[in-house]
Amino acid sequence: MADSSPRTTAGIGRNDTDHRQPDRKLAASKRRRHAMTATRALHARSLSDPEGFWAEQARRIDWETPFETVLDDSRAPFTRWFVGGRTNLCHNAVDRHLAARADQPALIYVSTETGQHRTYSYAELHDEVNRMAAILQQLGVVKGDRVLIYMPMIPEAAFAMLACARIGAIHSVVFGGFASVSLAARIDDAQPRVIVSADAGSRGGKVVPYKPLLDEAVNLAAHKPERVLLVDRQLAPMALTAGRDQDYAAWRERVGAARVPCVWLESSEPSYVLYTSGTTGKPKGVQRDTGGYAVALAASMDYIFCGKAGDTMFSSSDIGWVVGHSYIVYGPLLAGMATLMYEGTPVRPDGGILWQLVEQYRVNIMFSAPTAIRVLKKQDPAWLTRYDLSSLRLLFLAGEPLDEPTADWIQQGIGKPVVDNYWQTETGWPIIAIQRGIDPLPAKLGSPGVPVYGYDLKIVDEATGAECPPGQKGVVAIDGPLPPGCMSTVWGDDDRFVKTYWTGVPGRRCYSTFDWGVQDEDGYIFILGRTDDVINVAGHRLGTREIEESISSHAAVAEVAVVGVHDALKGQVAMAFAIVRDAGRIATQADRIALEGEVLKTVDRQLGAVARPARVFFVNALPKTRSGKLLRRAMQAVAEGRDPGDLTTIEDPTALAQLQEAMQG
Ligand code: ATP
Ligand code: MG
């Protein structure tokens, strides 16, 4: 069973090129129709026969007890997949591979912050996870308990996640960049029995102590954890609270080569709670199931990421985000791959570090975010060709819109296909993508691709819920049931799950992604921004993303953010903050005024005067989260002279001050 990767019969036949066709153009169009057919056929089958389709996919993992029912949607939208089946994520990610690949690399750890690197084989990973599981058990953790993981990118963070999965505890990883207030809110929501943390992280060569932030958070929180398990990296001094705080190294010695059996969970029992980024409001605790998630990830590793056992995957994300959960820890390990866990930035010690790692560890599949690529764009492009990238097959990018210039730049630079993919913390795996494991459907710049199997994706009218024809903008929605692996509910708040996600579109009971999209005639989806990024100018509803795209099309503009700002007369007006490619363009005040005029004219021409921003301010940086998302709420608050609120994940704290200055200037 360990290696079975059953191919479904429908839609997998890779299309052959018709060699008799002399006209290359015709051949290409034929190829495309064929290609479309394979992806479409699999998608259609997944929706017409979800039970049959997903039962086949479920063979990709081990089940201790087989499921009785594939799909139970009788309590929609609380969908249950693989009802009655018992399985364990840690077993499938680790133990299952011991027979065939105990000595193969499982976890490759590299830190350019501390200079540490170490490769753990599957056998060694198994050993470490068992030790961690034994420690957690001895600290009192039992099935169903929450364990909050507030850790830098160190192997122990992955051990802790897998150990929780092993003993049926529910992990809640909180991104290490969060400060006390955000952490306290998550402690109160998740109510962990134990917190696993460390003395410090390190970022850009600077030590970031975690322990004081954690202590402060526990003080602020109403809920108090019984125990705090601490990994001492010897980066920062740590004050230990007697009785509560426990030293990981000492415990690791104490438990020795412990072996802890897997606790088999019913498929729908929760594996973890992960909070959304909070870009648009109070973070939601996304609760994930166990069996559905394992199956969905295993299928995605094959159909979308083209990862095979023995390959190496490098996702340059953080375990605090969903990409870290799905494609640093669980996905690659479920597939028997090695996963590269990297602590460091893309530009330190130099702009070639990511590619150096690809060469050194023979990385086959890479996953990053457009924001990281934009950072690289500011570096010497020679870095892109300096290392041997022959092992690398594909570069996946997700998390925010991938603009055409960035996609083009990196695709040309490294000479590898770039695969945009669209999804959310809520879904846990891609909703829209070019599914290269199914067929080589050509990509269209600006679109993440077509709906992925399992998702009954619709572009719907925000007012009526009716399906929009191709070319008409609407809300990206998913008709239930959501496929396996997607969120089961909001942690501790079923009501919020229904109200937030399932009642957003009048006239249609569907899951709302809160993103705008449009479908073209070929079925490709283009994401047009978030539904709450709409501004209302004198009764006209305008998407900030559309205005941004228009402004970006001006050759002098490198990046731009548009927010709606309160206006006594018009309700709201659009305000644009732009970064120019060449500072020389705005050397004088007269230059700025001239360029602002040009930009406004561009918007007039493309979208009409109604969309014209009230002002275009030029800045050097935009306020973004560390995962590269624009902090629009904060920008809007600053533009309206209000308190920007929680800024603990901001990448560059000076960026907001710059906005203020630009507006005052
Ligand atoms: P919150 O829901 O708390 O406001 P968030 O939506 O930023 O936070 P995530 O789940 O990390 O949290 O991000 C998912 C969102 O990111 C999507 O809904 C979409 O807006 C954006 N996104 C992700 N991938 C892409 C992509 N390939 N193209 C365009 N947008 C994307
Ligand atoms: Mg969201």
Side-chain angles (χ1 to χ4, degrees), residues 135-468:
I135 298 170
L136 291 175
Q137 272 185 339
Q138 292 192 32
L139 293 179
V141 176
V142 296
K143 180 184 158 184
D145 280 347
R146 272 79 59 215
V147 173
L148 191 144
I149 299 173
Y150 178 65
M151 300 264 258
M153 288 288 280
I154 53 175
E156 289 80 2
F159 303 159
M161 291 168 74
L162 291 161
C164 286
R166 188 169 195 87
I167 61 175
I170 301 166
H171 61 65
S172 185
V173 184
V174 175
F175 175 57
F178 280 115
S180 307
V181 176
S182 317
L183 180 55
R186 286 157 178 81
I187 292 174
D188 274 334
D189 197 71
Q191 310 224 329
R193 185 184 290 269
V194 168
I195 295 181
V196 186
S197 190
D199 56 339
S202 178
R203 206 178 139 75
K206 275 211 283 295
V207 169
V208 185
Y210 279 27
K211 183 63 170 36
L213 299 179
L214 175 62
D215 286 340
E216 168 76 13
V218 172
N219 272 340
L220 289 171
H223 173 86
K224 309 291 177 197
E226 288 168 23
R227 296 273 194 268
V228 175
L229 182 64
L230 292 153
V231 177
D232 189 356
R233 309 176 73 191
Q234 319 250 315
L235 293 179
M238 255 200 302
L240 296 187
T241 303
R244 189 194 70 181
D245 293 352
Q246 309 288 320
D247 177 52
Y248 169 73
W251 269 104
R252 187 177 170 281
E253 283 309 306
R254 200 173 309 158
V255 297
R259 285 292 175 267
V260 175
C262 289
V263 172
W264 302 103
L265 299 184
E266 202 279 334
S267 179
S268 297
E269 288 185 294
S271 56
Y272 67 74
V273 175
L274 174 63
Y275 294 88
T276 58
S277 328
T279 309
T280 49
K282 184 173 172 252
K284 299 159 282 262
V286 169
Q287 178 179 321
R288 193 93 60 212
D289 75 347
T290 298
Y293 187 52
V295 171
L297 288 187
S300 75
M301 287 313 301
D302 181 14
Y303 287 149
I304 301 170
F305 295 97
C306 308
K308 295 186 300 292
D311 281 348
T312 298
M313 181 158 187
F314 174 18
S315 297
S316 71
S317 180
D318 189 283
I319 47 146
W321 309 125
V322 71
V323 175
H325 284 62
S326 294
Y327 299 112
I328 295 177
V329 179
Y330 292 114
L333 295 177
L334 284 168
M337 298 164 73
T339 181
L340 197 159
M341 185 175 181
Y342 173 57
E343 181 186 48
T345 72
V347 292
R348 211 178 152 271
D350 56 53
I353 182 62
L354 298 184
W355 317 113
Q356 187 190 328
L357 292 173
V358 169
E359 177 185 285
Q360 193 172 349
Y361 293 100
R362 307 297 299 157
V363 171
N364 307 106
I365 292 156
M366 207 168 152
F367 193 145
S368 191
T371 186
I373 306 303
R374 283 189 212 108
V375 168
L376 294 182
K377 246 166 121 178
K378 294 179 190 147
Q379 307 284 314
D380 184 351
W383 287 120
L384 299 181
T385 47
R386 182 152 184 163
Y387 295 98
D388 173 12
L389 305 183
S390 58
S391 60
L392 187 65
R393 298 198 294 265
L394 298 163
L395 170 62
F396 292 85
L397 297 175
E400 42 167 331
L402 176 62
D403 57 284
E404 293 189 23
T406 303
D408 248 355
W409 181 83
I410 189 68
Q411 194 152 278
Q412 303 295 327
I414 61 171
K416 306 284 172 176
V418 167
V419 191
D420 186 4
N421 55 115
Y422 161 87
W423 45 296
Q424 310 181 299
T425 307
E426 290 86 343
T427 65
W429 58 286
I431 305 171
I432 301 170
I434 299 294
Q435 297 140 70
R436 298 181 68 107
I438 301 170
D439 62 31
L441 187 66
K444 289 192 188 185
L445 278 181
S447 163
V450 298
V452 169
Y453 55 86
Y455 291 97
D456 194 0
L457 189 140
K458 303 273 161 64
I459 305 293
V460 300
D461 186 289
E462 55 165 329
T464 64
E467 257 182 77
C468 296

